[in-house]
Amino acid sequence: MSKLLKIDKNSRVPKYQQIVDSVVHNISIGKLSMDQKIPSINKLSEEFYLSRDTVEKAYGILKERKVIRAIRGKGFYISRTKLISKVNILFLINKLSWYKMEIYNSFIKSIGPNSHVDLHIYHCDESLFLNLLNKHKKAYDYYIIMPHFKTDKLQHTSTTNAISSAISKIPKEKLIIMDNKNIPIKDNIITVYEDYENDIYNALKKGIKKISKYKKIILIYPEATVYPYPKRIKKGFIKFCGEHNLDFDVLDRVYDDMIILKGDLFITIEEDDLISLMHQIKEQEFSLGSNIGVISYNDTPLKALLGISVISTDFKYMGTTTSRMILNCETGTVKVPFSFIHRNSL
């Protein structure tokens, strides 16, 4: 071990950091392997004429990063070898969907090869989220969190007291909030978010000329679901219809054999509702984009192929902007663009 470690007494780099860097470097080049024993704190301090506190601080950092582990009565051992020289990122998303993966994939492509990203899905479940955060605390350089949770009644909430408390324990320089900014931690962190209420309001406003030809606007907003949606979506929709004197309704799902009338415009959020609606429109021989309109929430390649009009977040922008801010050591709050895209269904 004494041959592997390099301590430069004339360097301006703190000696504890030199120990950390030496261990990490030797792991990355294969000279230290998994489960290999390393010297005790006392032995290393004696060999290099360092204070015990210096070595203890270095080992403390290595333990926090899960590079080494201490076994009582036996000593210290290497516990991590893969990608140790890279920036390690924990990516916590609330559900596995095309939209979330578009964000994740764009982030992975733009963050570059010098980073290692671990993806975990917590399914909007508070307990699972807290367990994941506790399990991986202090093990990563950055923590990217999409805060979307469900209540006991399967409705959406951005956070709870327990969640806010857990997130607040993450050092601000390591914390990134993505997709939803409604948590009580805002200063000096990276936040790349959607503004659900104003996004839908402004997007529909851009399409008002096409929308206003319909007699009734119907939002299909799931009130209780395993993966609930922010209530701000419904609030923004109601605000839009009220300001433009449009007749509207809000339903919690597309019902089987639902009564559909000429002049109806439907706005769907969930994919299952869109599929059911399109099937019923076809069965009842309505003319899509003429006497019946459809707008879907969030774009996909399939919706583009089928000519479905959408109001949608720029998912790639969310991923690439987050990675850029990490790479450039930026902090701040960035709102993601949200667009109205007109196609044949309107």
Side-chain angles (χ1 to χ4, degrees):
M1 189 70 179
S2 59
K3 294 179 180 179
L4 298 178
L5 289 181
K6 293 182 179 180
I7 306 296
D8 183 357
K9 293 182 179 180
N10 297 317
S11 173
R12 293 180 181 270
V13 178
K15 292 181 178 61
Y16 74 85
Q17 187 62 50
Q18 291 187 53
I19 296 172
V20 172
D21 293 342
S22 288
V23 171
V24 168
H25 173 70
N26 281 288
I27 290 174
S28 67
I29 63 176
K31 290 188 176 181
L32 287 175
S33 57
M34 182 72 79
D35 296 326
Q36 184 173 341
K37 189 175 183 179
I38 62 174
S40 68
I41 292 173
N42 288 334
K43 187 174 181 181
L44 197 63
S45 64
E46 290 172 5
E47 282 191 24
F48 288 92
Y49 303 101
L50 298 170
S51 73
R52 193 179 188 285
D53 288 345
T54 296
V55 181
E56 192 171 20
K57 186 172 183 179
Y59 277 26
I61 293 170
L62 291 168
K63 282 196 293 181
E64 278 192 2
R65 294 175 61 181
K66 300 194 185 306
V67 176
I68 65 173
R69 70 183 188 279
I71 299 178
R72 183 172 293 181
K74 292 186 177 182
F76 296 93
Y77 294 82
I78 301 297
S79 62
R80 186 175 173 198
T81 57
K82 292 182 180 179
L83 303 164
I84 195 64
S85 62
K86 297 188 177 185
V87 174
N88 290 280
I89 301 169
L90 180 64
F91 204 113
L92 289 172
I93 66 175
N94 59 301
K95 66 179 179 179
L96 192 61
S97 67
W98 186 90
Y99 318 111
K100 303 296 181 179
M101 294 312 298
E102 182 79 353
I103 298 168
Y104 173 75
N105 289 331
S106 64
F107 176 83
I108 290 295
K109 289 179 181 178
S110 54
I111 196 66
N114 292 322
S115 299
H116 172 68
V117 183
D118 286 332
L119 175 66
H120 289 274
I121 299 98
Y122 63 90
H123 302 288
C124 297
D125 184 88
E126 177 183 13
S127 296
L128 180 55
F129 174 84
L130 292 173
N131 287 338
L132 283 168
L133 210 55
N134 184 61
K135 180 180 178 181
H136 298 291
K137 64 183 178 182
K138 298 183 180 180
Y140 289 87
D141 301 299
Y142 292 99
Y143 295 78
I144 298 176
I145 297 170
M146 293 187 183
H148 294 282
F149 298 90
K150 58 189 173 187
T151 67
D152 293 338
K153 295 181 179 180
L154 297 181
Q155 294 184 332
H156 182 275
T157 183
S158 298
T159 189
T160 65
N161 290 335
I163 291 163
S164 294
S165 176
I167 292 176
S168 68
K169 293 175 183 176
I170 300 172
K172 288 186 177 181
E173 66 273 13
K174 294 184 176 185
L175 178 61
I176 296 99
I177 300 298
M178 186 187 282
D179 195 35
N180 178 17
K181 71 171 184 175
N182 276 23
I183 62 166
I185 303 169
K186 298 178 181 179
D187 296 331
N188 299 319
I189 64 171
I190 296 173
T191 305
V192 183
Y193 73 101
E194 296 181 62
D195 182 355
Y196 292 96
E197 180 179 342
N198 291 316
D199 280 347
I200 188 171
Y201 171 82
N202 290 322
L204 292 176
K205 192 173 180 179
K206 290 176 183 176
I208 185 62
K209 289 184 179 179
K210 298 290 183 181
I211 291 171
S212 59
K213 75 176 184 180
Y214 291 93
K215 296 177 182 178
K216 191 163 192 171
I217 320 298
I218 303 163
L219 173 68
I220 310 297
Y221 175 84
E223 286 290 346
T225 180
V226 175
Y227 300 113
Y229 296 90
K231 295 178 182 178
R232 286 163 282 159
I233 295 173
K234 182 170 68 172
K235 188 175 180 181
F237 167 76
I238 294 172
K239 176 183 175 183
F240 166 79
C241 292
E243 290 191 5
H244 292 86
N245 296 313
L246 297 172
D247 187 16
F248 73 91
D249 200 356
V250 179
L251 302 178
D252 65 346
R253 66 182 183 273
V254 172
Y255 295 87
D256 294 336
D257 301 319
M258 188 169 65
I259 296 173
I260 301 175
L261 302 175
K262 288 183 179 180
D264 286 344
L265 168 60
F266 292 90
I267 301 175
T268 64
I269 296 177
E270 289 201 331
E271 305 299 282
D272 288 348
D273 284 323
L274 175 63
I275 293 168
S276 177
L277 178 64
M278 295 294 289
H279 180 69
Q280 292 188 52
I281 288 172
K282 184 178 179 180
E283 275 193 338
Q284 297 181 41
E285 298 182 347
F286 287 106
S287 177
L288 188 63
S290 177
N291 53 28
I292 289 291
V294 172
I295 298 174
S296 184
Y297 195 88
N298 287 333
D299 201 13
T300 65
L302 183 58
K303 291 174 187 177
L305 182 65
L306 296 175
I308 305 296
S309 297
V310 296
I311 48 177
S312 183
T313 299
D314 189 333
F315 300 106
K316 289 183 179 179
Y317 179 93
M318 190 181 297
T320 56
T321 298
T322 303
S323 65
R324 186 205 74 224
M325 294 179 77
I326 290 174
L327 293 171
N328 294 338
C329 299
E330 299 176 27
T331 59
T333 301
V334 178
K335 183 192 170 304
V336 179
F338 194 91
S339 304
F340 167 77
I341 302 174
H342 175 249
R343 297 185 181 125
N344 296 334
S345 67
L346 187 61

